[in-house]
Amino acid sequence: YFPESFDVVHCRCITTGIIDYRALLEQIYAVLRPGGVLLTVDCDMLVYSEKQEPIPALNEDEEGFTWMNKILVTAYEGISARNPNANAYLQTSKWLKEMEEAGCQWAERGEKAVWVPLGTWPEELNKEPVNRREYLAAELMRDDFYRMGATVRPVLLMSGHFEETVDRWIRMQEAEVRDLSAKMYVK
């Protein structure tokens, strides 16, 4: 692309597939017009408990085990084996600051963690008056994560897991999300 040719660049959930994310940020800066906006959104491929604490990787027979977490942890291991920079999003703020110190003038930069429940299980989403945005965000996230197992199925298979095992995990994960049997957040 030509330099200074975009007003907005939006990157959503791409870091796991980018080998050199810092170089991408530098390219984005070059194509943004003065005053342009970079909006990058990513998640950490973790699910969190009702208390917004990371759910640890557990075995199926251990208390607190979730199929969603099993799918995400196993998929992340497979992705990381192919791309050691899969967690580059953790460095984004640091790299933007370093770029600024090297002469890239961002008008402002910031970071915000947003907690979204997988489904409308939190009590406050079911009280009147309903916060329509939060309610819809929770339902949309539930829909997205319902499909997560099928989305990462190729990664799970390429990582050496048997097809029957992967398909069982996905069925269990879909049921868990559909039935809201595990109360989870993502951020």
Side-chain angles (χ1 to χ4, degrees):
Y1 296 101
F2 292 107
E4 298 182 0
S5 55
F6 291 97
D7 292 315
V8 176
V9 174
H10 179 204
C11 303
R12 183 172 178 250
C13 300
I14 64 168
T15 55
T16 57
I18 304 296
I19 300 298
D20 191 347
Y21 195 71
R22 179 171 179 154
L24 175 66
L25 292 173
E26 291 170 358
Q27 290 172 349
I28 290 169
Y29 184 82
V31 300
L32 280 172
R33 289 186 179 112
V37 174
L38 164 61
L39 175 61
T40 179
V41 179
D42 246 301
C43 71
D44 55 14
M45 291 197 68
L46 295 174
V47 284
Y48 295 82
S49 71
E50 289 180 76
K51 297 176 183 175
Q52 297 180 343
E53 297 168 346
I55 296 175
L58 300 169
N59 293 318
E60 188 177 340
D61 59 343
E62 294 180 281
E63 186 178 339
F65 172 85
T66 71
W67 290 103
M68 187 74 255
N69 201 44
K70 173 71 172 176
I71 295 274
L72 289 174
V73 167
T74 308
Y76 185 74
E77 289 169 354
I79 291 167
S80 296
R82 296 174 63 93
N83 178 7
N85 296 317
N87 65 351
Y89 68 90
L90 295 170
Q91 304 295 318
T92 303
S93 292
K94 178 183 134 211
W95 289 335
L96 292 174
K97 184 176 188 236
E98 288 172 359
M99 288 170 66
E100 194 171 71
E101 291 167 356
C104 297
Q105 295 304 308
W106 301 100
E108 64 180 271
R109 57 188 161 76
E111 186 174 343
K112 182 177 181 180
V114 178
W115 294 93
V116 181
L118 292 182
T120 56
W121 57 265
E123 193 175 304
E124 64 270 12
L125 291 180
N126 294 292
K127 288 182 182 175
E128 294 294 331
V130 172
N131 181 322
R132 188 89 177 124
R133 277 190 225 141
E134 288 181 16
Y135 187 91
L136 288 173
E139 279 302 297
L140 287 170
M141 194 61 69
R142 178 184 183 187
D143 288 347
D144 283 351
F145 274 73
Y146 177 83
R147 295 175 184 87
M148 182 64 72
T151 300
V152 299
R153 185 177 187 272
V155 173
L156 300 172
L157 294 172
M158 285 189 301
S159 299
H161 299 285
F162 294 114
E163 187 171 11
E164 298 80 19
T165 300
V166 169
D167 290 343
R168 177 177 167 268
W169 293 350
I170 293 169
R171 282 192 310 275
M172 300 302 286
Q173 170 263 320
E174 288 173 344
E176 180 179 84
V177 173
R178 180 191 63 236
D179 300 339
L180 295 176
S181 59
K183 293 175 172 52
M184 298 175 279
Y185 280 96
V186 293
K187 74 171 184 163

